[in-house]
Amino acid sequence: MSRLPQWVGGLGAGLTRFAQRLEDQRRRAEAAAAAGDPDELRRAEHADAAGGTGGPAVPGGSGAERPAGPAGEARPGPAAEAGTGEGPAEARPPESVPAPPAYAPAVSARPDPVAAVPWGVRVAAEIGWRLLVLAAALWVLAQVITSIELVVLAFVAALLITALLQPTVAWLRRRRVPRGLATALTFISGFVVMGLVGWFVVWQVQDNIDSVSSRIQEGITELKGWLLDSPFHVTEDQINRIAKNLQDAVGANTEAITSAGLEGVTVVFEVLAGILLAMFTTLFLLYDGRRIWTWLLKLVPGAAREGLAGAGPRAWRTLTAYVRGTVIVAMIDAIFIGIGLYFLDVPLAVPLAVFIFLFAFIPLVGAVISGALACVVSLVTQGVFTALLVLAVVLAVQQLEGHVLQPFILGRAVRVHPLAVILSVAAGGLVAGIGGAVVAVPLVAVTNTVVGYLRAYSREQALRMTPAPHGATAIGVAPTPSPGTGPTRGERPPE
């Protein structure tokens, strides 16, 4: 009985501490709820659960009994000592921050940086970095092409020659001629014809060079007399001074002319190497073109292989139509202008006709250059009246070409806007000279065909991937027979 008062006193002290702890937890939970702090709410709930499961410290329990004081009262625990500041333990920091007063200004949350950028700026940035990547890729490609310019031009020339000769190989194959023999006959005959044309041009130039030189001197004399009698008041001293300045310029630049001649020898060797490379490439393209195309398709990723397999034959048909049509148009131009030059007694009529044929492969620009060359030769050798007649012939043939021959022969196979032609010829000439100007327009035409087909193919694939309509929607898009084509009375529709 002597321990009963001590036990009752300890029980009362434990209940008091337990009630104080519950009150503190309730206050913290209310403060956290008012502040809207989820972390503090979770801590309060955790402490509530811990306090709800624990009971008051009952003396006599294991590890919960506190020794009584000298007056028989229970001594306070470490928590009570820390709360009063009398114990050695330091004070605990507050577990929650009180809510701000109602009069404090509200602080708005910062918006997402992505949402803060305007939509137009984001679209421009997306397009900008993609354009930069494409520009870098094109620059690298241009550098590679420039470093191997001879190989690229030889391969492109071989493609153009193959597009011209391949229909002959196909015609021989349809006549049951073996592939090797058909390729050999076409290759040999094609290059023999081109070689004979080149030899004929050189022979005509060498045969007429003396008479042309004398006529040029006579023309210069006539031009000098015309300038002296013209209303421009040109004196003979001024003309002699101009001639002397030209002679001095030629004498001062002798070293430059000599180095240019040496460079010309190097260019001749490069041209011969390019011709041989183009011949071998043409031979293999004529014989094994389909296998080469199949091997190239294997290098393409599987997702894009089907589209490129369909775009390749269409691009080849466009290139074949362009080369064939350009050859026919150039031949007609050369024949008609050559006949006009021959009847007007202009020297070098046949070489000038060949130059007109070759320059016709440069659209728009080539016709102007070849026509101007024919007019200058006729002006120097035959006079102003003959030059005007030659100009009339050239303009008439070019009008016939632009309004009749090209629309009829090329048709809708090659559809390129004149502005695209001018820009592509200018860009090709700046990048690779005359060869680039020749290749630019067929490259643009083939690219236009490939892009158009791939756009239509992707649109068709998107329609195929679209789920089929069903229910009431399917009735609106279902095919219905046109009037007069449906089943008659008594006739069952096909199942």
Side-chain angles (χ1 to χ4, degrees):
M1 293 298 293
S2 60
R3 295 181 58 87
L4 181 61
Q6 182 181 357
W7 184 82
V8 172
L11 179 61
L15 291 175
T16 303
R17 287 195 299 271
F18 182 73
Q20 292 178 353
R21 188 182 305 168
L22 289 178
E23 184 66 17
D24 294 337
Q25 292 174 359
R26 185 181 63 79
R27 291 176 180 173
R28 285 197 297 269
E30 291 176 355
D37 190 359
D39 296 332
E40 189 65 23
L41 279 174
R42 283 195 295 270
R43 285 198 298 268
E45 290 173 0
H46 180 69
D48 193 6
T53 55
V58 180
S62 61
E65 183 178 355
R66 300 293 181 186
E73 297 179 356
R75 296 182 57 185
E81 294 176 358
T84 57
E86 297 175 357
E90 296 179 358
R92 294 183 180 179
E95 298 182 359
S96 62
V97 179
Y103 58 84
V107 180
S108 59
R110 292 185 178 180
D112 189 6
V114 177
V117 179
W119 181 82
V121 176
R122 280 185 287 173
V123 172
E126 293 285 340
I127 296 175
W129 73 259
R130 284 174 172 83
L131 289 178
L132 288 177
V133 172
L134 288 177
L138 291 177
W139 183 82
V140 172
L141 181 62
Q143 294 299 317
V144 172
I145 291 176
T146 304
S147 61
I148 54 173
E149 181 179 357
L150 179 63
V151 178
V152 173
L153 289 179
F155 179 76
V156 173
L159 275 179
L160 297 177
I161 298 173
T162 304
L164 179 63
L165 300 180
Q166 193 269 337
T168 306
V169 177
W171 182 81
L172 292 175
R173 291 285 293 153
R174 287 194 296 270
R175 300 300 185 275
R176 299 184 181 276
V177 179
R179 183 175 62 178
L181 181 59
T183 302
L185 290 176
T186 305
F187 175 79
I188 294 173
S189 60
F191 278 95
V192 165
V193 169
M194 288 186 283
L196 288 176
V197 170
W199 170 80
F200 184 73
V201 171
V202 173
W203 174 61
Q204 286 291 317
V205 171
Q206 290 180 351
D207 190 39
N208 295 314
I209 190 67
D210 295 333
S211 61
V212 171
S213 299
S214 60
R215 290 192 180 185
I216 288 175
Q217 291 177 359
E218 293 176 0
I220 292 174
T221 303
E222 292 179 359
L223 180 62
K224 181 180 178 180
W226 181 80
L227 289 175
L228 291 175
D229 297 335
S230 67
F232 298 108
H233 304 290
V234 180
T235 62
E236 187 173 1
D237 293 336
Q238 292 176 343
I239 296 176
N240 294 332
R241 193 179 305 112
I242 293 174
K244 186 176 182 304
N245 292 333
L246 290 176
Q247 293 177 357
D248 294 341
V250 171
N253 296 322
T254 303
E255 296 182 358
I257 295 175
T258 304
S259 62
L262 295 176
E263 290 179 0
V265 174
T266 305
V267 169
V268 168
F269 280 107
E270 290 181 356
V271 169
L272 291 177
I275 291 174
L276 292 177
L277 183 59
M279 292 176 62
F280 280 107
T281 306
T282 303
L283 178 63
F284 286 109
L285 288 178
L286 288 173
Y287 183 77
D288 253 351
R290 188 175 297 274
R291 292 183 182 179
I292 294 173
W293 172 245
T294 305
W295 178 80
L296 288 175
L297 283 178
K298 294 179 181 179
L299 303 179
V300 179
R305 189 174 301 166
E306 185 176 355
L308 285 180
R314 288 166 176 80
W316 182 250
R317 284 197 294 269
T318 299
L319 183 62
T320 304
Y322 173 82
V323 174
R324 188 186 309 170
T326 304
V327 167
I328 295 174
V329 171
M331 190 175 298
I332 294 174
D333 288 352
I335 290 174
F336 279 97
I337 296 178
I339 291 174
L341 294 175
Y342 176 78
F343 279 107
L344 291 173
D345 198 20
V346 177
L348 299 176
V350 175
L352 286 175
V354 174
F355 278 115
I356 290 170
F357 173 79
L358 295 177
F359 276 95
F361 284 90
I362 306 176
L364 300 181
V365 180
V368 175
I369 296 175
S370 59
L373 179 62
C375 292
V376 168
V377 172
S378 61
L379 174 64
V380 173
T381 57
Q382 298 297 110
V384 178
F385 181 72
T386 306
L388 292 176
L389 292 179
V390 171
L391 178 61
V393 171
V394 170
L395 291 178
V397 173
Q398 289 181 359
Q399 291 299 316
L400 177 67
E401 170 195 345
H403 294 86
V404 178
L405 296 180
Q406 284 189 353
F408 178 74
I409 296 175
L410 295 179
R412 299 177 63 86
V414 181
R415 291 177 294 179
V416 181
H417 196 273
L419 179 60
V421 172
I422 291 294
L423 294 178
S424 59
V425 169
L430 290 175
V431 172
I434 297 178
V438 173
V439 172
V441 177
L443 179 62
V444 171
V446 169
T447 304
N448 185 29
T449 301
V450 171
V451 171
Y453 173 79
L454 291 180
R455 186 186 298 116
Y457 175 77
S458 61
R459 192 161 49 241
E460 182 182 353
Q461 290 297 108
L463 290 177
R464 287 180 181 178
M465 297 299 294
T466 303
H470 59 279
T473 308
I475 298 176
V477 297
T480 56
S482 58
T485 60
T488 59
R489 181 176 297 180
E491 180 184 357
R492 297 182 60 187
E495 296 181 355

